[in-house]
Structure formats: C-alpha cells, structure tokens
C-alpha cells in the first residue's frame, strides 16, 4: 500500500476519499479528501485536503498535502502535457486550488465569470479532463478551459439561456435549477460532448459548438466515449443511453435513486460509478462490477469504487471511495490503500 500506518494517521485518518485523478506523469496520483463527520450534510466548512502522491519516493517524502476548510463541494482533476502538468481542484463557487511541483501550490483567484446582464453567477458542478486538458463545467451551461499560466478561458460558443437575461425573476429562478452541465467527454479535443439538465447535449466538432437533439428532457449526468464512435450517456435515474450525433436510443434501464457521478471507457468496456458502487456494461445491461461474468473486480476494490478516472492514454483506471483507492494497469487491480487495513 502507498501509505504506512504512521503516514495514514497523519494524512488520511478521519477523512473519506471524495475524488481522484491520475497525475500528469507515470507514478503521480491525486486525491481529494474531506473530513468525516456525524452530521447529515457535508458542509463547505469541513476540512478539505488535496493529496498529491509520487509513488517512486520513500513513504516519508511521497505526499504533498494542502489543507483548508474553505473549499466545499469540490472536485479534482489533472492536466497533462503539452497543455499543463498540474493538479487542479474547483468548488461550486469557482474557487481554485492547484499544485504543480516546484512551481506553484495553493489557492488561486476564482474562475472569472462576468455576470453583468445575466442576473446570476456561474456555479461549477465538476472538473474533468478531456485528452490532456482540464475543464470546469456547470451553470448556466458554462464550460471553462484550463490554459497555461494558471488561467481559465470561458467557452463562448454555447449561449447562456435566455431566461437569465430576461429580467423576469421567476424565469431566472426556474432556470437556475435547470441549466447546468454535469459532464464532458470526447474522442479528442476536436470531438467533445457536454451533457446536462433538461436532456441538454452540445457537441464540439473542432470549430463550433452545436446543440443536438436528445430523446428525453431528464437531466443527463455522465458521458463517455467508447469504441467505433459510440457515445454513452446516463441520466438522473442511471438509465444508459447510446448513440452519436442526432441518433440515440435507451440501452439499459436502471431506475436508481442516485445518478452516476462518473462514466469511462476502459479495457474495451464501459464503467459507471456512484455512491452505490461501480457498474460495468455486459451486453446491454449494467451490472455491479464485482458480480460481472467477465473479470469481476475484487470485493476489496469494490468497496472503494465510487469515482473513476482513466489516464489519457487509456492504459490505467483509478477508482476511489470510502477510505480507499485502487488502480488497474490494464491487466490487474492494485489496492493502493484502505483505511480499514491501516487503522489501529
């Protein structure tokens, strides 16, 4: 395991692993930790930690830890060269933490958004990586691209919904809860899909963004790009849709009470995860990954499989959740750490 008991007691004990990312070079990993609490809600005042790992170093020098209590409801990703080489974490209020070894670490200015005339600010729902580039996405149907110099560039090819410039308070309030992007994925930087509320799907072809029709108006929460040009999306109930362009069909009904948080294509299969655990597509059905007919994941990995990140080259998949994480190298699983094994 990447922690010994002493380092776990200093860094991970009393925290749950909320998010994870495969870092910008071999042997680097990132984790977002949030303090455990008996309260029913995880408020933004709870202690948050960005933990960056360099596996090749001795355990006493392996970890960079940034701690604070001012970054709630955040998610984590990493940018890779040639665009960037950094870990980046963003919360709903667009506040940013970043870490690039030997260059910078800590808080940055919030992601800029000019709300003049819109009567509403922008909230970030998720940070993702497409190819080697990191993006922050959220409302009102906004995407921000991470660029060099610790800067962000707002994608302007997607219009802000008309309700936000109407001046009608009721229309604005109604639109607030119905205008967020929840995920972004692509075959390349020039072939990306953004999905969100009200069955909203936008596609980027390398030159322009275009909204494409979708056969449901329920919120879409994940998108993943598979083989042969197939795109997979899941909605608020976990139902799985498959297609591309203007052609989509319902592949699998799930009827879950929680949407999936992540979806990814890895080792020729679609994987989806949320607080219930990780699922894999077999035939035309999503099944719990530890019960799969082909290469079921070990039970000790299933316990920690609530978020997913796949490296840009598609060779590794990292999962995390609870008090642990595991890494698949394309051949086998490696349990990186589990608080149950590292505790007293």
């Amino acid at each position: 395991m990447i922690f010994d008991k002493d380092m776990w007691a200093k860094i991970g004990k009393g925290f749950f692993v909320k998010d994870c990312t495969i870092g910008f070079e071999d042997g680097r990993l990132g984790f977002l930790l949030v303090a455990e609490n008996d309260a029913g809600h995880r408020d933004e005042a709870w202690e948050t930690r960005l933990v960056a790992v360099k596996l090749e170093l001795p355990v006493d020098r392996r970890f960079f830890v940034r701690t604070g209590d001012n970054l709630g409801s955040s998610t984590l990703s990493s940018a890779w060269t040639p665009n960037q080489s950094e870990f980046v974490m963003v919360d709903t209020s667009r506040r940013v933490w970043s870490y690039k070894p030997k260059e910078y670490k800590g808080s940055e200015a919030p992601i800029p958004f000019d709300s003049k005339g819109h009567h509403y600010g922008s909230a970030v729902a998720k940070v993702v990586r497409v190819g080697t580039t990191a993006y922050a996405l959220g409302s009102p149907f906004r995407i921000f691209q991470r660029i060099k110099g610790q800067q962000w560039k707002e994608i302007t090819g997607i219009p802000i919904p008309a309700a936000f410039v109407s001046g009608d308070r009721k229309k604005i309030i109604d639109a607030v809860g119905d205008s967020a992007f929840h995920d972004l994925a692509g075959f390349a930087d020039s072939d990306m899909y953004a999905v969100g509320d009200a069955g909203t799907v936008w596609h980027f072809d390398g030159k322009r963004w275009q909204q494409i029709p979708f056969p449901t108006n329920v919120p879409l929460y994940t998108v993943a790009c598979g083989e042969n040009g197939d795109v997979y999306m899941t909605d608020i109930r976990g139902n799985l849709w498959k297609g591309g362009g203007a052609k989509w069909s319902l592949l699998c009904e799930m009827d879950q009470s929680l949407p999936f948080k992540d979806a990814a294509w890895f080792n020729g299969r679609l994987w989806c995860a949320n607080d219930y655990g990780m699922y894999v597509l077999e035939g035309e059905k999503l099944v719990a990954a530890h019960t799969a007919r082909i290469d079921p994941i070990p039970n000790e990995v299933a316990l920690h499989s609530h978020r997913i990140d796949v490296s840009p080259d598609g060779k590794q998949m990292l999962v995390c959740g609870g008090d642990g994480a595991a890494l698949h190298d394309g051949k086998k699983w490696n349990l990186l750490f589990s608080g149950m094994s590292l505790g007293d």
Side-chain angles (χ1 to χ4, degrees):
M1 293 193 181
I2 64 174
F3 289 93
D4 61 18
K5 288 189 176 183
D6 288 341
M7 292 305 294
W8 177 254
K10 293 177 182 178
I11 297 173
K13 187 176 180 180
F15 288 76
F16 68 92
V17 189
K18 184 183 177 185
D19 204 355
C20 60
T21 185
I22 298 174
F24 41 84
E25 61 186 25
D26 190 36
R28 287 195 184 272
L29 305 171
F31 299 98
L32 167 57
L33 275 57
V34 177
E36 294 176 343
N37 195 300
D38 293 333
H41 299 282
R42 294 168 181 151
D43 298 325
E44 64 178 352
W46 289 20
E47 185 171 332
T48 304
R49 289 180 176 175
L50 167 60
V51 179
V53 185
K54 190 171 184 180
L55 296 176
E56 68 181 31
L57 294 179
V59 68
D60 60 336
R61 296 192 294 116
R62 184 175 293 165
F63 304 98
F64 164 83
V65 181
R66 166 74 159 88
T67 298
D69 60 1
N70 63 340
L71 202 67
S73 302
S74 49
T75 57
L76 171 70
S77 190
S78 58
W80 287 43
T81 54
N83 297 316
Q84 290 283 86
S85 299
E86 62 176 350
F87 295 103
V88 62
M89 203 164 89
V90 184
D91 78 346
T92 53
S93 299
R94 309 192 311 280
R95 294 174 294 188
V96 181
W97 287 1
S98 64
Y99 172 54
K100 184 173 184 177
K102 299 180 181 180
E103 292 198 27
Y104 50 80
K105 57 186 177 182
S107 300
E108 297 180 12
I111 298 174
F113 175 71
D114 184 3
S115 61
K116 185 178 180 180
H118 302 154
H119 305 286
Y120 180 69
S122 176
V124 168
K126 192 175 186 181
V127 184
V128 303
R129 182 180 59 245
V130 179
T132 59
T133 304
Y135 298 84
L137 54 144
S139 63
F141 290 134
R142 295 294 86 198
I143 301 174
F144 304 91
Q145 179 183 348
R146 182 71 166 178
I147 58 177
K148 292 181 179 180
Q150 296 176 267
Q151 300 296 312
W152 298 86
K153 181 178 72 174
E154 183 179 349
I155 301 299
T156 58
I158 300 172
I160 291 175
F164 290 95
V165 297
S166 68
D168 186 316
R169 182 174 176 81
K170 184 179 184 305
K171 288 183 179 179
I172 294 170
I173 292 173
D174 289 344
V176 165
D178 210 25
S179 63
F181 280 131
H182 296 293
D183 204 7
L184 174 72
F187 296 100
D189 291 340
S190 59
D191 188 3
M192 298 191 293
Y193 289 84
V195 303
D197 290 331
T200 299
V201 180
W202 283 79
H203 177 250
F204 182 63
D205 64 5
K207 295 182 179 180
R208 68 187 183 102
W209 286 90
Q210 182 178 7
Q211 188 171 8
I212 59 178
F214 198 77
T216 179
N217 62 357
V218 301
L220 302 172
Y221 272 81
T222 72
V223 55
C225 296
E227 295 176 340
N228 304 317
D230 290 327
V231 181
Y232 298 85
M233 301 178 183
T234 65
D235 63 30
I236 193 170
R237 304 296 293 180
N239 299 319
L240 177 63
W241 301 79
K242 178 182 177 182
K247 296 182 179 180
W248 302 91
S249 60
L250 181 61
L251 184 64
C252 171
E253 292 189 54
M254 292 293 288
D255 196 29
Q256 296 188 128
S257 59
L258 290 175
F260 288 114
K261 292 182 177 179
D262 290 317
W265 189 265
F266 176 71
N267 256 10
R269 309 169 81 184
L270 178 72
W271 306 79
C272 302
N274 60 13
D275 287 346
Y276 291 144
M278 189 158 67
Y279 293 74
V280 63
L281 183 63
E282 288 197 333
E284 296 185 354
K285 185 177 181 181
L286 284 171
V287 300
H290 66 286
T291 67
R293 291 182 293 103
I294 301 172
D295 296 330
I297 68 173
N299 289 335
E300 62 269 23
V301 172
L303 290 172
H304 305 301
S305 299
H306 304 298
R307 298 300 302 267
I308 302 172
D309 186 45
V310 172
S311 59
D313 59 12
K315 293 181 178 180
Q316 297 182 89
M317 180 166 71
L318 178 66
V319 298
C320 71
D323 59 1
L327 183 69
H328 197 292
D329 63 4
K331 296 180 180 179
K332 64 181 186 304
W333 285 101
N334 176 25
L335 183 64
L336 298 173
F337 60 92
S338 173
M340 292 180 290
S341 302
L342 292 163
D344 295 332

